[in-house]
Amino acid sequence: MFRLGGYRPRMATDPFRDKLLAAQAEGHLLPSTVENILQVHGAPATTPVDRDSIDELVEGSAWSELNDRFFKHLAFGTGGIRGKTIGRVVTRGEQGVGGPLGAPEHPAVGTHMMNGENMARAALGLGAYVNQAFPGRRNKVVVAHDTRHYSRAFAELCADRLRSLGIDVLLFAEERSTPQLSFSVRHYHAQAGIVISASHNPPDYNGFKAYFADGGQLVEPHAAGVIAEVTAIANGKLPAPAATPGTLTSLGAEADAAFIAALETLVLEPGVLKAQKEKLRIVYSSLHGTGIKIIPALFAQTGIPLSIVEAQRAGDGRFPTVQSPNPEEASALALGIAQAKAEGADLLLATDPDCDRMGAAVRDRGGNYVIVTGNMIGSILAFYRVDRLFAQGILNEGNRAHATLIKTFVTTDLQKRIAESYGIKCVDTLTGFKYIGEKLRDYEQQTGAADYDALPFAERRRLQLEQGTFFIFGGEESYGYSGGDYVRDKDANAAALMFAEVAAWAKSRGETLLDYLDAIYRRFGFYTEKLGTLTFEGAKGAQQIKALLASYRATPPAAFLGRKLARVDDFGLADFRDVDGKPIPKETMLLFHLDDGSRMAVRGSGTEPKIKFYFFTQAGAGADLDATRRARVAFLDEWWTAVQADVAARVAGV
């Protein structure tokens, strides 16, 4: 099932090879596909299941499937790797006797598939780099996994490969969230961490995400170092095994208790939660993922009753009750909203499979449930936390320059406006919470503390407000949020608790969360956003996305809907610095600014075969907020329609 090996040359007269070359000559297979198939098929370590599966696909002339599986190697990016574990065509060998919950017995063969070979290579590469970065010591790596197909087997495989290098492994006994993995790396003073997850992707995906000793996702120079090790292994240079294998420790209740204790520090107004606990009604769904392991216990600890969507409680990699386990999508919230209506709940909360993203639906005054966007949730949380910290005197005129909000460039500028009004910083980063985590590492280092994690939370905050930067809140439009630096990734466990607190605060004032949001708009102006995504699957799709991005760079539209293009920020070519003066890494993202202040960002997804378009507009709230809202939303809808027509023309052109 899991293999590592090199190419075994085949005989000069080879019907198998000849058929592949004929398919290439006829335009059915890419040259890279043929090369990769021959390499895997002829490798001594290739299992009979994988070799027979390739034979079956070739004999069946499944050229499109073979191109998608073999057109390139699944690249280890700056954060890890992610890909499909199950092909569109499942071979007899892969299906075998069948695996748990209806999955094939074996992951799909292919250089571009998320299978044991790619997983083992990633684990060995990370382990080899860890031993280089921390020489002469017994290193530790924490490993966690979600509820997806093959996640447990992949986690155990990674643990085995790390132990072969003499690394001690701390493996969670059951599925746990990505943010808990990030926290645990720091809590156990480990040198790295791995989480096996594909977040909110469809059921046939899985992935490997790597973390370093600071608890954050890999950033430079460590990302390049791990990539170099993974590449060397792919080229046949395997790291030498250790004389003594590493140990294996199972993590359970103690790890959970430590994480919950850290989460509890996020509550700013415990008295309000206590006063409203009998009145506030919240429904929660884990969407068959890891959130069920911590969130109910966390809420019980803080005295907030939860009603669980039982049909979605069990961990299940099929995600059988939803079209997609993505709390960004309305369909994923349907069961929860139905239960909230039946119970008259104030709020529905839902988290994705690895519990790093949270979505929500809020009851309005008419008893209807409104799905709030990631930008709305983030703005509510950012304002509440800034406002309460100033009200309590923790933040004041004397120290506010040492406090900050952090957001991505494609997150609403309402949060920047809130920061400006209170005289605090707002840092913009590239998309990906690893960049927010990197900022938190910088702010930790500013304190000069020898053992930062040993300090009580209040002492960390004091040091930051006196001589560094205190992180109030950070988020991204894709439903990821963080309210504390004990974790260096987005955390839906934390988001659920923080959002429940704001709901309690609003209820104590006779308001709904939507009333609370409208008050923010009336104070700072109305900001609204729209995300448009277009999917381009497989080898052909990857080429189309690349061509589209190049087309927008070379020939940007001169105007959109009669509004002239004022400027284009090209993050792949130009040099930019954040408000702290730190250089922004290069990334293929284009930001189009219109002359009326509206803007559009275009970028390829880092984890899915999609190109994404982010639209932003704003206006003074005025006397009629509802009219302003309708007009601005209609404008963004019209803009997205125009962009889709423009994309179709550009695709036809290439």
Side-chain angles (χ1 to χ4, degrees):
M1 180 177 176
F2 302 132
R3 63 189 187 283
L4 286 171
Y7 173 63
R8 181 178 66 186
R10 298 176 64 87
M11 300 297 293
T13 56
D14 186 338
F16 176 83
R17 179 176 178 275
D18 292 344
K19 185 168 184 177
L20 292 177
L21 293 175
Q24 177 184 329
E26 293 167 4
H28 299 306
L29 291 180
L30 298 170
S32 60
T33 298
V34 173
E35 179 181 352
N36 290 333
I37 290 172
L38 290 172
Q39 182 181 34
V40 173
H41 195 275
T46 297
T47 67
V49 166
D50 285 351
R51 189 172 290 111
D52 290 347
S53 293
I54 295 172
D55 287 340
E56 181 180 332
L57 293 171
V58 173
E59 289 166 7
S61 300
W63 308 131
S64 178
E65 178 74 7
L66 286 164
N67 270 329
D68 288 348
R69 290 185 182 216
F70 287 95
F71 79 100
K72 66 176 181 179
H73 286 269
L74 195 61
F76 192 103
T78 56
I81 50 176
R82 183 178 295 186
K84 286 190 173 184
T85 59
I86 303 171
R88 288 177 299 162
V89 178
V90 178
T91 69
R92 291 185 298 272
E94 289 166 350
Q95 182 59 37
V97 298
L101 302 175
E105 182 180 2
H106 305 284
V109 64
T111 56
H112 195 244
M113 305 300 283
M114 190 69 261
N115 48 38
E117 181 177 13
N118 280 320
M119 191 67 68
R121 185 180 296 130
L124 284 171
L126 176 65
Y129 181 76
V130 164
N131 282 340
Q132 291 175 18
F134 302 96
R137 57 181 296 172
R138 190 79 171 189
N139 291 310
K140 291 189 291 189
V141 174
V142 185
V143 180
H145 66 87
D146 68 5
T147 60
R148 289 179 172 273
H149 296 313
Y150 312 111
S151 281
R152 184 66 189 182
F154 285 156
E156 291 173 348
L157 172 68
C158 289
D160 178 74
R161 294 298 187 269
L162 292 168
R163 292 180 62 212
S164 75
L165 301 180
I167 294 172
D168 294 337
V169 176
L170 288 74
L171 173 65
F172 280 94
E174 298 177 313
E175 60 269 16
R176 286 298 186 272
S177 70
T178 292
Q180 187 170 357
L181 180 280
S182 171
F183 169 81
S184 297
V185 168
R186 300 180 65 88
H187 180 69
Y188 291 105
H189 303 287
Q191 283 65 57
I194 296 168
V195 63
I196 307 301
S197 174
S199 191
H200 57 283
N201 282 168
D204 53 347
Y205 278 80
N206 214 326
F208 171 110
K209 191 187 294 186
Y211 291 75
F212 210 58
D214 65 338
Q217 295 179 45
L218 289 180
V219 294
E220 299 303 344
H222 307 302
V226 174
I227 290 170
E229 290 302 317
V230 173
T231 302
I233 293 168
N235 292 330
K237 185 181 178 182
L238 298 177
T244 305
T247 60
L248 180 64
T249 302
S250 180
L251 297 181
E254 187 280 331
D256 292 347
F259 185 45
I260 288 173
L263 287 163
E264 288 182 285
T265 66
L266 295 173
V267 175
L268 298 180
E269 297 284 357
V272 171
L273 278 179
K274 184 177 180 181
Q276 296 299 315
K277 70 178 182 179
E278 301 300 330
K279 303 173 185 177
L280 187 66
R281 296 179 181 178
I282 300 176
V283 171
Y284 169 66
S285 173
S286 60
L287 299 180
H288 304 288
T290 60
I292 201 69
K293 297 296 184 180
I294 293 294
I295 288 178
L298 171 65
F299 274 54
Q301 188 97 343
T302 50
I304 309 171
L306 274 187
S307 174
I308 308 297
V309 180
E310 292 296 336
Q312 297 174 326
R313 176 191 283 268
D316 191 330
R318 299 169 299 180
F319 311 114
T321 63
V322 295
Q323 294 177 353
S324 169
N326 186 352
E328 301 178 46
E329 299 179 8
S331 60
L333 307 183
L335 274 180
I337 290 175
Q339 184 166 320
K341 286 180 179 178
E343 298 178 3
D346 301 283
L347 176 64
L348 163 70
L349 302 173
T351 56
D352 68 342
D354 69 327
C355 200
D356 63 354
R357 286 177 167 85
M358 184 202 76
V362 178
R363 188 177 64 180
D364 66 13
R365 288 190 173 274
N368 300 308
Y369 287 82
V370 178
I371 296 174
V372 284
T373 69
N375 281 312
M376 292 174 178
I377 294 170
S379 297
I380 288 170
L381 291 173
F383 173 73
Y384 175 80
R385 299 187 75 75
V386 171
D387 186 60
R388 288 295 85 212
L389 288 169
F390 271 97
Q392 294 170 3
I394 294 171
L395 295 180
N396 53 58
E397 187 173 350
N399 65 19
R400 63 187 181 184
H402 289 269
T404 190
L405 297 177
I406 309 178
K407 71 179 192 68
T408 66
F409 284 105
V410 296
T411 298
T412 179
D413 278 342
L414 174 55
Q415 293 168 28
K416 183 179 291 186
R417 177 72 186 89
I418 291 169
E420 289 171 349
S421 84
Y422 280 93
I424 62 177
K425 287 193 304 184
C426 182
V427 181
D428 276 308
T429 71
L430 293 175
T431 301
F433 235 84
K434 63 184 178 183
Y435 296 113
I436 296 178
E438 186 178 22
K439 297 301 296 184
L440 299 184
R441 184 193 65 191
D442 293 344
Y443 299 154
E444 173 189 344
Q445 292 172 347
Q446 289 174 358
T447 67
D451 190 351
Y452 183 81
D453 289 328
L455 298 176
F457 172 73
E459 177 63 13
R460 299 185 207 180
R461 183 174 62 197
R462 183 190 67 79
L463 286 173
Q464 289 166 337
L465 287 173
E466 287 181 359
Q467 59 196 51
T469 301
F470 169 57
F471 169 67
I472 302 171
F473 177 79
E476 55 187 7
E477 55 77 35
S478 55
Y479 294 69
Y481 327 95
S482 174
D485 71 350
Y486 60 88
V487 65
R488 301 297 167 91
D489 208 337
K490 52 187 175 287
D491 185 358
N493 304 280
L497 179 62
M498 291 188 292
F499 207 53
E501 181 182 345
V502 187
W505 176 263
K507 197 171 185 71
S508 72
R509 297 158 60 92
E511 298 176 343
T512 69
L513 277 168
L514 295 175
D515 296 330
Y516 190 82
L517 178 60
D518 281 352
I520 294 173
Y521 288 146
R522 290 190 177 95
R523 178 171 173 180
F524 300 106
F526 180 72
Y527 291 71
T528 192
E529 302 77 31
K530 185 179 183 69
L531 171 64
T533 63
L534 297 173
T535 301
F536 297 88
E537 294 273 8
K540 181 179 179 182
Q543 294 173 336
Q544 288 174 317
I545 290 173
K546 183 177 180 180
L548 275 170
L549 291 169
S551 172
Y552 274 108
R553 170 175 282 161
T555 56
F560 291 99
L561 303 180
R563 295 161 173 83
K564 293 182 179 179
L565 183 64
R567 79 171 195 274
V568 180
D569 293 335
D570 189 331
F571 286 83
L573 298 179
D575 294 325
F576 295 93
R577 291 180 178 271
D578 64 25
V579 297
D580 292 326
K582 190 168 184 175
I584 302 291
K586 293 289 192 294
E587 179 180 279
T588 304
M589 181 177 76
L590 301 167
L591 192 55
F592 300 89
H593 298 264
L594 305 189
D595 59 5
D596 71 343
S598 301
R599 58 194 177 102
M600 178 183 81
V602 182
R603 59 180 288 272
S605 170
T607 58
E608 299 172 282
K610 295 179 179 180
I611 185 168
K612 294 189 173 185
F613 299 83
Y614 305 80
F615 302 90
F616 308 84
T617 191
Q618 64 191 72
D624 192 339
L625 177 58
D626 288 338
T628 300
R629 191 189 333 259
R630 287 193 297 271
R632 292 292 87 193
V633 169
F635 165 63
L636 293 188
D637 288 342
E638 187 180 1
W639 193 357
W640 172 226
T641 299
V643 166
Q644 289 178 83
D646 182 57
V647 168
R650 290 173 186 265
V651 170
V654 298

